[in-house]
Amino acid sequence: MAMTGVLRPGHVQIRVFDLEESARFYRDVMGLVETGRDDQGRVYFKCWDERDHNSYIIRQAEEAGIDFFGFKVLNAATLDKLEADLNEYGIATTRMPAGDMLETGERVRFTLPT
């Protein structure tokens, strides 16, 4: 297997109809640990044994679904290479600044071609 610097799935953000009801469900029924809330109304969760701040994020919306999912990368050079490869393939990217989400570094956002 080739080493690409893409380490593993990192997090997912989903849209929910009722933020507080959903937060209670993921915390009290599923057993996720709530790790924070931000000024954009997002609630952050992780499993009890995770080292990272979060891996599951919810936000209230009028339509349920997935906003995005992200992968953890080795370092900034990996992120730069991934972005260059995506652009070379013809996929537009947008740099998301560090701190846009709680405890999350810089990200490259793109839309899957499918």
Side-chain angles (χ1 to χ4, degrees):
M1 176 188 300
M3 293 299 293
T4 64
V6 177
L7 303 176
R8 61 177 171 77
H11 58 248
V12 63
Q13 179 173 296
I14 66 164
R15 299 181 305 271
V16 299
F17 294 124
D18 185 317
L19 188 67
E20 291 309 317
E21 180 181 346
S22 296
R24 277 192 303 278
F25 173 78
Y26 290 114
R27 184 184 57 242
D28 301 340
V29 176
M30 295 299 295
L32 298 179
V33 177
E34 184 176 325
T35 59
R37 294 178 183 232
D38 67 18
D39 58 2
Q40 294 183 37
R42 295 180 285 211
V43 182
Y44 296 78
F45 297 93
K46 70 177 187 174
C47 292
W48 66 270
D49 64 342
E50 287 185 69
R51 292 183 182 195
D52 291 333
H53 179 267
N54 65 77
S55 61
Y56 196 73
I57 306 143
I58 61 174
R59 72 173 182 90
Q60 188 161 331
E62 293 187 18
E63 182 178 336
I66 296 174
D67 279 334
F68 59 83
F69 60 92
F71 293 89
K72 188 171 183 94
V73 297
L74 182 62
N75 53 29
T78 301
L79 193 63
D80 293 340
K81 171 93 170 76
L82 178 61
E83 182 176 35
D85 289 349
L86 288 164
N87 292 156
E88 185 177 318
Y89 192 75
I91 298 173
T93 59
T94 303
R95 282 283 176 143
M96 307 302 291
D100 177 56
M101 297 172 59
L102 292 181
E103 301 294 323
T104 303
E106 186 176 27
R107 299 175 291 138
V108 172
R109 178 174 281 177
F110 62 97
T111 300
L112 294 173
T114 56

